[in-house]
């Protein structure tokens, strides 16, 4: 069986660590060698892969030489600079940043939705925004059946979406609050205190009043679903949750779609688990989705405010897994399964 040379770029970050764990635990392809890259700050640090210590190396322009697939999660600036060197060295790059997502020559892939976009000669592949991934996983089977015209979504996004510094900031603020009066609550990573608060701003505002995060959900959904006619209006909110993003999603469809049909379609979809028994208080919650590779859906109901075909539901998934590391590893698995690498 063929074995593959893998690299993780940004291996010390919140997503990078999960990429390593996914590569260890899923074992859907054989790894011949693995390299970990990060910034100067982490050079020499040791990370464990399958019980072995691997020393973190400095990312350089020639780091992609001899690598088959590199998973990047080191931010857009690093991707913009280094991904082209990797692909020039014939290495596939699965990039978790926003750098290349809307580039027309770069496939933006959620394997359950558009694995057909992966091609041998398209070496650079973009991993979508975390909130978009879990939403399109839910939308795809419903769209195939009833054609979605419009989506209104509000997100409840955990602090890990902002990386390790986001996790640290919530943790430190909670500690400072608990030792009342002894430590000031300091906000660096987020615009305001995030502990015991909600911040209705993720990324910067654009000219139309939406944030960049919200426009990612609009634009990336159209691209992944391959349908520019789907209209998406998003409100993205940062919440004091460590892991897992939650979303309240409303859809209007061209054809009728009952809650029972939606449940049937969603339960038959890979990667989705229905958790929809309100009478037993069963519905998805971020604490339950943490560390799980599944997208959970519940609270499915018809919209009582309109006679149009409209449905509303609640979706929760671990943003560091399906929203980032897992989706990237699934892209690598698909490349290998389809013999593209
Ligand atoms: P480092 O830990 O050495 O700074 P997060 O999203 O959790 O903040 O993680 C970002 C990841 O990207 C980290 O692994 C970080 O490494 C890495 N990174 C940041 N800047 C660079 C760079 N210039 N070159 C390589 N890796 C980088």
């Amino acid at each position: 069986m063929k074995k593959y040379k893998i690299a993780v770029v940004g291996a010390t970050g919140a997503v990078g660590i999960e990429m390593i764990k996914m590569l260890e635990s899923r074992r859907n392809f054989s790894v011949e060698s693995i390299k970990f890259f990060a910034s100067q700050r982490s050079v020499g640090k040791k990370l464990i892969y399958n019980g072995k210590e691997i020393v973190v190396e400095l990312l350089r322009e020639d780091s992609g030489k001899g690598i088959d697939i590199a998973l990047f999660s080191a931010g857009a600036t690093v991707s913009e600079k280094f991904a082209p060197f990797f692909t020039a060295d014939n290495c596939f790059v699965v990039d978790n940043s926003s750098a290349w997502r809307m580039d027309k020559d770069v496939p933006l892939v959620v394997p359950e939705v558009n694995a057909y976009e992966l091609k041998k000669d398209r070496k650079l592949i973009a991993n979508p925004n975390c909130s978009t991934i879990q939403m399109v996983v839910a939308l795809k089977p419903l769209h195939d059946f009833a054609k979605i015209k419009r989506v209104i979504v509000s997100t409840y996004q955990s602090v890990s979406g902002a990386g390790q510094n986001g996790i640290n900031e919530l943790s430190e603020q909670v500690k400072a609050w608990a030792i009342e009066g002894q430590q000031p609550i300091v906000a660096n990573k987020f615009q305001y205190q995030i502990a015991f608060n909600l911040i209705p701003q993720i990324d910067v505002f654009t000219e139309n009043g939406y944030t960049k995060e919200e426009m990612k959900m609009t634009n990336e959904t159209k691209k992944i679903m391959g349908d520019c006619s789907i209209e998406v209006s998003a409100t993205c909110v940062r919440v004091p949750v460590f892991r897992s993003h939650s979303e309240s999603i409303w859809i209007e469809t061209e054809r009728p779609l009952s809650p029972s049909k939606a449940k049937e379609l969603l339960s038959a979809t890979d990667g989705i688990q229905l958790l929809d028994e309100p009478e037993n208080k069963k519905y998805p919650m971020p604490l339950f989705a943490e560390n799980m590779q599944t997208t959970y859906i519940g609270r499915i109901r018809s919209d009582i405010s309109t006679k149009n075909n409209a449905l509303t539901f609640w979706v929760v998934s671990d943003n560091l897994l399906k929203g980032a590391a897992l989706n990237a590893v699934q892209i690598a698995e698909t490349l290998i399964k389809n013999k593209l690498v």
Side-chain angles (χ1 to χ4, degrees), residues 10-15 37-42 59 73-75 78 163-165:
T12 50
V15 172
F37 297 103
S39 76
Q40 187 66 53
R41 214 166 60 97
S42 305
L59 178 66
S73 191
V78 172
Q164 193 56 48
N165 291 341

Side-chain angles (χ1 to χ4, degrees), residues 189-227:
K189 181 73 190 170
F190 300 111
Q191 299 87 347
Y192 295 95
Q193 173 182 331
I194 186 63
F196 317 107
N197 197 16
L198 306 176
I199 304 175
Q201 177 186 355
I202 300 182
D203 211 329
V204 296
F205 284 95
T206 69
E207 271 177 13
N208 65 9
Y210 285 81
T211 61
K212 265 195 179 170
E213 182 82 355
E214 290 160 354
M215 291 314 296
K216 283 177 202 168
M217 291 193 80
T218 297
N219 298 326
E220 292 182 23
T221 299
K222 291 171 191 274
K223 180 167 174 179
I224 300 163
M225 304 275 284
D227 188 340

Side-chain angles (χ1 to χ4, degrees), residues 40-331:
Q40 187 66 53
R41 214 166 60 97
S42 305
V43 172
K45 197 172 166 180
K46 290 175 186 134
L47 297 176
I48 305 292
Y49 173 78
N50 275 346
K52 265 180 36 196
E53 279 186 346
I54 311 271
V55 179
V56 176
E57 299 174 45
L58 180 65
L59 178 66
R60 296 189 334 202
E61 292 174 359
D62 62 358
S63 300
K65 279 200 168 37
I67 306 283
D68 295 311
I69 304 176
L71 308 179
F72 269 59
S73 191
T77 315
V78 172
S79 293
E80 272 161 22
K81 178 168 176 204
F82 290 94
F85 288 108
F86 276 61
T87 54
D89 282 330
N90 220 22
C91 169
F92 274 97
V93 169
V94 182
D95 179 37
N96 193 49
S97 82
S98 60
W100 308 95
R101 288 182 190 148
M102 295 314 294
D103 187 313
K104 68 174 178 27
D105 297 323
V106 175
L108 182 65
V109 176
V110 177
E112 293 90 333
V113 180
N114 62 341
Y116 59 83
E117 294 279 2
L118 299 172
K119 301 271 159 57
K120 220 179 178 78
D121 59 346
R122 296 169 108 184
K123 290 276 184 284
L124 181 53
I125 301 147
N127 209 34
N129 164 268
C130 44
S131 298
T132 311
I133 294 179
Q134 70 183 67
M135 181 167 83
V136 295
V137 166
L139 295 186
K140 170 71 175 161
L142 307 179
H143 184 60
D144 287 347
F145 179 82
K147 192 167 188 343
I148 295 171
K149 294 200 295 192
R150 201 170 157 216
V151 180
I152 299 177
V153 53
S154 296
T155 70
Y156 304 68
Q157 298 183 219
S158 69
V159 293
S160 54
Q164 193 56 48
N165 291 341
I167 299 172
N168 297 347
E169 184 146 312
L170 175 58
S171 179
E172 277 151 24
Q173 289 181 356
V174 170
K175 280 185 214 149
W177 177 86
I179 315 169
E180 201 182 348
Q182 292 185 27
Q183 285 179 32
I185 289 184
V186 182
N188 286 320
K189 181 73 190 170
F190 300 111
Q191 299 87 347
Y192 295 95
Q193 173 182 331
I194 186 63
F196 317 107
N197 197 16
L198 306 176
I199 304 175
Q201 177 186 355
I202 300 182
D203 211 329
V204 296
F205 284 95
T206 69
E207 271 177 13
N208 65 9
Y210 285 81
T211 61
K212 265 195 179 170
E213 182 82 355
E214 290 160 354
M215 291 314 296
K216 283 177 202 168
M217 291 193 80
T218 297
N219 298 326
E220 292 182 23
T221 299
K222 291 171 191 274
K223 180 167 174 179
I224 300 163
M225 304 275 284
D227 188 340
C228 287
S229 71
I230 304 175
E231 299 300 347
V232 180
S233 173
T235 302
C236 292
V237 182
R238 186 73 69 193
V239 300
V241 164
F242 282 110
R243 260 176 103 135
S244 299
H245 291 352
S246 305
E247 298 178 351
S248 165
I249 301 177
W250 177 96
I251 58 168
E252 186 181 342
T253 55
E254 210 164 273
R255 294 181 281 280
L257 176 62
S258 67
S260 59
K261 185 67 193 175
K263 284 180 196 176
E264 181 193 318
L265 294 165
L266 293 167
S267 355
T269 303
D270 277 351
I272 289 180
Q273 191 180 323
L274 269 193
L275 214 53
D276 201 6
E277 293 173 42
E279 64 285 7
N280 296 321
K281 291 193 241 168
K282 283 200 176 163
Y283 29 71
M285 290 188 284
L287 267 184
F288 294 164
E290 205 173 299
N291 286 311
M292 305 303 276
Q293 299 185 24
T294 305
T295 297
Y296 296 92
I297 305 182
R299 303 290 326 275
I300 301 172
R301 59 214 191 272
S302 288
D303 177 3
I304 54 168
S305 73
T306 176
K307 296 228 173 335
N308 296 344
N309 302 317
L311 208 67
T312 186
F313 48 94
W314 177 249
V315 179
V316 181
S317 195
D318 186 325
N319 56 296
L320 296 181
L321 295 186
K322 187 56 189 166
L326 170 61
N327 197 69
V329 171
Q330 285 173 320
I331 290 173

